[in-house]
Amino acid sequence: MNTFGIYIHVPFCGKKCSYCDFYSLNYNKKNADLYLRAVLRNIQYYSDKTRLVDTVYFGGGTPSLLTAESIAQIIRKIRECFRLSENAEITLEANPNTLTPDKLRQLRDNGINRLSIGVQSMIDSELKFLGRTHTAERAKKTVLDAAEAGFRNISCDLMIALPNQTAESMEFSINELSSLPISHISAYILTIEDGTPFDKPNIRDIMPGEDQTAELYLSMVKCLNKKGFTQYEVSNFAKSGFESRHNCRYWKCSDYLGIGPAAHSCYNGKRFAVMPNLQEFIDAPNQKIYITDESPCGFEESAMLRLRLAEGLNIGECGEKADDILKKIPTLQESGYVTYNNERIALTPKGFLMSNSIIEYLIF
């Protein structure tokens, strides 16, 4: 089936987090209305009724700052311009402070069937350090309100390797989250990105070292597994059947079309991106793109992305590289970095911590 996904980048935030380097601007209604018109115009531009859309993902930024009606208009336009699968996974990233019981019901009624809620921690002091504007109690209420509104596919973000974080404080957040009606957790190691407000010596100096970060990561994996969240990708854990279908497109080199300033695409045989400029996106008849790869998804890229997944890489699909990879597996097995079952090689949690260097050693 000729399926693909659509990613909508919503470049608005109520307050930019100090660790974030994604393209976003402060929200205002005028720009949001102009942005909406541009999104609808671009969906029309790419219109193709031969293509079946089976995942839609609203990312950002803070997509939940848009009104429920704006999001409904975008979904209706997608349905008008493409074939939208009846069981499409339609995800909205959300900040707890932007979701009320009434808005959650509207979102559910208008087609959103998966929420990705930016919780990050269930400890208020950690939330304050990260610059989040919600409390742990507010996050908990938002998840419960979402379940009450009918959402059965709820993901929460968790951030680890924060200054002064211990295995015990991290496990507290995991225990709190896993007690809620959620089915997925995306867990990220806090990294200091160049040019962000956290890119300062006084912040870098209090970050945990590599060994402590590794211990926290491995402890997190073990704790989440005990709570029924199985690791299926470096940073993603799900209860059975609740893996993010849209995000799996990225790791399996499946087609997706990105719309919005700074959105990326892998579509119709090319990788391309939109300029990270809201005004330019609003003004242009069609979004201005630049090609990032003329012929994506070759063996090296596909293998690298597959090895981010817990299911790993099928050696039978490695062609002339298979023999070379097989020779390298025993050394990695002995170190506990990979598993191999005579068909697939897969990284272990310990291996995921070294994924870049292991993948380079195996593939290149």
Side-chain angles (χ1 to χ4, degrees), residues 66-317:
L66 296 182
T67 66
E69 175 54 28
S70 295
I71 291 164
Q73 286 187 54
I74 293 170
I75 295 171
R76 286 198 296 268
K77 192 66 175 179
I78 291 171
R79 184 175 284 110
E80 174 191 319
C81 294
F82 302 94
R83 294 162 55 211
L84 183 61
S85 171
E86 289 184 7
N87 69 339
E89 175 194 86
I90 306 180
T91 302
L92 180 80
E93 289 185 347
N95 181 302
N97 283 341
T98 63
L99 296 176
T100 63
D102 185 54
K103 186 168 185 176
L104 284 161
R105 285 190 292 270
Q106 291 178 47
L107 291 169
R108 187 75 181 89
D109 290 344
N110 288 323
I112 299 296
N113 54 29
R114 183 176 185 271
L115 291 174
S116 177
I117 302 175
V119 175
Q120 313 306 352
S121 172
M122 292 298 282
I123 298 174
D124 285 343
S125 59
E126 292 182 350
L127 291 170
K128 184 176 181 181
F129 168 78
L130 291 170
R132 305 298 288 178
T133 56
H134 64 271
T135 63
E137 190 59 35
R138 177 59 197 253
K140 180 178 180 179
K141 183 179 185 305
T142 299
V143 173
L144 294 173
D145 286 344
E148 181 67 23
F151 285 94
R152 297 293 174 263
N153 195 347
I154 302 172
S155 176
C156 288
D157 287 351
L158 174 68
M159 196 160 279
I160 71 162
L162 279 60
N164 302 316
Q165 189 178 48
T166 63
E168 290 74 23
S169 64
M170 179 191 66
E171 288 177 17
F172 175 84
S173 285
I174 291 173
N175 290 337
E176 289 290 295
L177 286 176
S178 61
S179 70
L180 298 172
I182 67 173
S183 52
H184 187 283
I185 290 177
S186 293
Y188 304 104
I189 293 172
L190 175 61
T191 54
I192 305 301
E193 304 292 347
D194 294 343
T196 61
F198 269 3
D199 184 16
K200 298 175 182 175
N202 64 315
I203 298 295
R204 289 188 177 276
D205 289 348
I206 60 173
M207 294 295 292
E210 287 186 9
D211 289 347
Q212 186 181 356
T213 296
E215 289 175 9
L216 285 167
Y217 179 84
L218 295 174
S219 177
M220 173 194 71
V221 172
K222 186 180 295 185
C223 188
L224 285 170
N225 281 335
K226 286 181 181 177
K227 297 295 183 180
F229 294 89
T230 301
Q231 184 171 31
Y232 70 97
E233 193 268 344
V234 174
S235 302
N236 286 278
F237 304 76
K239 293 183 178 178
S240 180
F242 287 95
E243 298 81 4
S244 170
R245 286 161 48 194
H246 183 85
N247 286 341
C248 282
R249 288 190 175 281
Y250 304 151
W251 305 312
K252 295 183 178 180
C253 269
S254 299
D255 266 14
Y256 58 94
L257 171 65
I259 292 174
H264 286 252
S265 303
C266 182
Y267 191 65
N268 288 343
K270 295 186 187 300
R271 284 195 187 277
F272 54 90
V274 184
M275 299 302 295
N277 186 311
L278 175 61
Q279 194 60 53
E280 189 174 273
F281 177 73
I282 287 171
D283 292 342
N286 307 313
Q287 60 185 13
K288 294 183 179 180
I289 64 167
Y290 58 96
I291 303 296
T292 58
D293 194 337
E294 289 281 2
S295 53
C297 301
F299 169 73
E300 285 84 1
E301 183 185 9
S302 297
M304 177 184 69
L305 291 170
R306 285 280 179 171
L307 285 168
R308 285 185 60 95
L309 292 167
E311 67 185 45
L313 176 66
N314 190 326
I315 296 297
E317 298 174 357

